[in-house]
Amino acid sequence: MTHAHALRGHDLTRAQLATTWDALRTRSPLVQCLTNRVATTLSANVLLAAGASPAMVDTPREARAFAGVASAVLVNLGTPTEESMQGIAEAVTGARESGTPWVLDPIGAGGLPWRSGIATGLLAKRPTIVRGNASEVIGLAGGRGGRGADSIDHPESAVRAACRLVERSGGAVAISGAVDHLVDGRRLALLGHGHPWLTQVTGAGCALGALMAACVACTEDPLLAAATATAAYTVAAERAAELSRGPGSLMPALLDELAQLTPESLAAAVQL
């Protein structure tokens, strides 16, 4: 069994992050987003700014077929309904049949029984990346959840739970927070970029999940994909905050900064 204390420092490099970001720009991956109602527009715009192509195909009649042609799939449990869960089930089936990588964002896991059961069932389908805050990661691993979508735990306290999720999924887990903690069962990467205003914008974390899906379409290393998306998004947020007056002006500036972020500028800015 993998334990948190057995993790070693990551071997990711700035050059690898830059290469993955460049691949996203070059390939323009098609990302199928089955996401929550409050995050749809922002997630699509973040993907477009990064150079990816968003497709919000979530109806049960189309989700499975589309997952077979998509470059990656995002599954977000922010506003679950009976119909949206049917669409998610179809998309995950299609992704597994075609080998399409997919990201699970288990919003609110651990706090509500129905939602938590769905998240646990999806984890058994082996997502390529799980992305959540510390309480969601702990809740998905069987512990108590947070306060709705809000975390009451710190990322470092969720690393052991993240390792348990890796054992069950085989991919990587990204724990968001002031310092993002990313694990794949062998390696632990820490990224301390970002800005507090991100926590005051609805759907900001959900959009990061969409960006992780775009990056995982461009590399076979899930930890590298999660780290590249996190680094690009949070570095862009730092730059955007310098030009903004608050959370209301942050997100338009963030889109601009993402669109202008080159592989070279990402490599120069990120601290690993």
Side-chain angles (χ1 to χ4, degrees), residues 131-137 151 153-156 158 174-182 190-196 198-199 205 208 212 230 234:
R131 190 219 77 85
N133 63 41
S135 293
E136 290 163 346
V137 169
S151 181
D153 299 283
H154 297 291
E156 57 269 23
I175 313 166
S176 62
V179 176
D180 294 283
H181 286 52
L182 303 91
L190 305 179
L191 289 166
H193 295 281
H195 195 277
L198 283 172
T199 64
L208 174 55
M212 286 187 187
T230 301
T234 55

Side-chain angles (χ1 to χ4, degrees), residues 53-64:
S53 179
M56 277 43 191
V57 179
D58 58 1
T59 175
R61 293 182 179 270
E62 298 177 334
R64 181 174 180 174

Side-chain angles (χ1 to χ4, degrees), residues 82-108:
E82 296 288 353
E83 183 179 14
S84 69
M85 290 304 100
Q86 293 174 17
I88 284 172
E90 291 292 328
V92 170
T93 296
R96 285 166 58 82
E97 289 174 343
S98 60
T100 304
W102 64 286
V103 174
L104 172 61
D105 195 334
I107 294 181

Side-chain angles (χ1 to χ4, degrees), residues 33 57 73 85 89 99 105 111 122 132 152 157 169 188 197 214 219 226 229-230 257 262:
C33 296
V57 179
V73 176
M85 290 304 100
D105 195 334
L122 289 170
I152 59 174
S157 68
S169 70
L188 170 65
W197 286 340
T219 175
T230 301
E257 293 301 322
T262 65

Side-chain angles (χ1 to χ4, degrees), residues 68-171:
V69 300
S71 306
V73 176
L74 167 68
V75 170
N76 178 299
L77 301 182
T79 53
T81 65
E82 296 288 353
E83 183 179 14
S84 69
M85 290 304 100
Q86 293 174 17
I88 284 172
E90 291 292 328
V92 170
T93 296
R96 285 166 58 82
E97 289 174 343
S98 60
T100 304
W102 64 286
V103 174
L104 172 61
D105 195 334
I107 294 181
L112 295 168
W114 181 62
R115 184 192 303 256
S116 299
I118 291 170
T120 301
L122 289 170
L123 180 66
K125 304 294 184 182
R126 302 179 68 82
T128 315
I129 297 174
V130 175
R131 190 219 77 85
N133 63 41
S135 293
E136 290 163 346
V137 169
I138 291 170
L140 186 56
R144 74 190 188 325
R147 189 181 61 183
D150 296 332
S151 181
I152 59 174
D153 299 283
H154 297 291
E156 57 269 23
S157 68
V159 171
R160 190 174 297 276
C163 290
R164 291 199 296 271
L165 297 185
V166 168
E167 291 172 356
R168 295 160 64 183
S169 70

